[in-house]
Amino acid sequence: MRGLKNKRVLITGGASGIGAATAARFLEEGARVVVLDRDAAAGERIRQELPALSGSIVADVSDPEVVACAFTELDHLCEGVDVLINNAGISIRHSFMEITPREWQQVLGINLNGVFYVAQQAARRMLASGGGVIINMGSTNGLMGYPYYADYNASKAGLIELTRSMALELAPTVRVVAVCPGYV
């Protein structure tokens, strides 16, 4: 990666897994990184593992009011955002017939609604400051179905289409892409 020195990067779901690895990589490139995660203990652990982080924000991306408050905190920490890695996501493995309404709402709330809420807040700031990049974490599950993941598959397929719409509407000022890894 090049040209990331002092770029302001927000990574949702940044306290573990792909998010934590992404945070470490952006820090290596000299970016100013803030992680956002709903797990306060994991947020504290990542702060200890990556002391160069500019901050760690505890927030549930499925709640638009909480997301708005998180961005107020981000503005205090970094005065905006140049790169958003929309990585927060969950999976509850059940057969289609066993998924409860609560589980369905929880998975779509984080994996799709959360992407929308966070991206909208980030895009407002990016448009006002002249540009930015939004990377939404999709999945191969959003491209083809897998059994026992109906809720997750639906959320990731929706994320991919949301990303396409955002890319068309926000271009050329904000670049928007989805990355679709397989099982990690």
Side-chain angles (χ1 to χ4, degrees):
M1 294 188 278
R2 302 238 191 283
L4 296 174
K5 187 163 181 63
N6 292 319
K7 291 292 184 184
R8 301 162 300 174
V9 179
L10 175 64
I11 303 171
T12 68
S16 63
I18 291 173
T22 303
R25 185 67 182 104
F26 272 91
L27 287 170
E28 288 173 10
E29 294 296 325
R32 296 169 52 199
V33 178
V34 174
V35 298
L36 184 150
D37 204 286
R38 68 182 181 165
D39 184 340
E44 185 54 39
R45 278 193 304 276
I46 196 71
R47 292 263 327 182
Q48 291 173 8
E49 291 172 22
L50 302 174
L53 284 174
S54 295
S56 176
I57 300 171
V58 177
D60 178 351
V61 298
S62 69
D63 184 329
E65 292 175 9
V66 170
V67 169
C69 291
F71 269 84
T72 299
E73 188 174 345
L74 176 69
D75 291 340
H76 290 296
L77 290 169
C78 293
E79 299 175 356
V81 61
D82 299 304
V83 179
L84 167 63
I85 310 295
N86 232 337
N87 174 69
I90 63 166
S91 172
I92 302 171
R93 189 173 179 160
H94 286 304
S95 71
F96 170 74
M97 295 302 295
E98 293 174 354
I99 298 169
T100 67
R102 183 186 158 282
E103 290 167 337
W104 176 266
Q105 291 170 355
Q106 182 182 21
V107 171
L108 268 71
I110 292 170
N111 295 4
L112 185 56
N113 296 347
V115 168
F116 172 77
Y117 302 142
V118 173
Q120 198 173 59
Q121 289 286 337
R124 285 184 181 120
R125 286 155 176 82
M126 291 173 181
L127 290 168
S129 68
V133 177
I134 297 173
I135 301 171
N136 292 328
M137 191 60 66
S139 171
T140 55
N141 288 56
L143 302 169
M144 61 180 289
Y146 292 93
Y148 306 107
Y149 289 98
D151 48 1
Y152 185 80
N153 296 344
S155 71
K156 293 301 182 173
L159 176 146
I160 291 166
E161 290 306 315
L162 174 61
T163 299
R164 288 180 175 139
S165 296
M166 290 168 54
L168 292 169
E169 291 186 33
L170 299 174
T173 307
V174 178
R175 289 177 291 148
V176 185
V177 298
V179 176
C180 296
Y183 182 78
V184 176

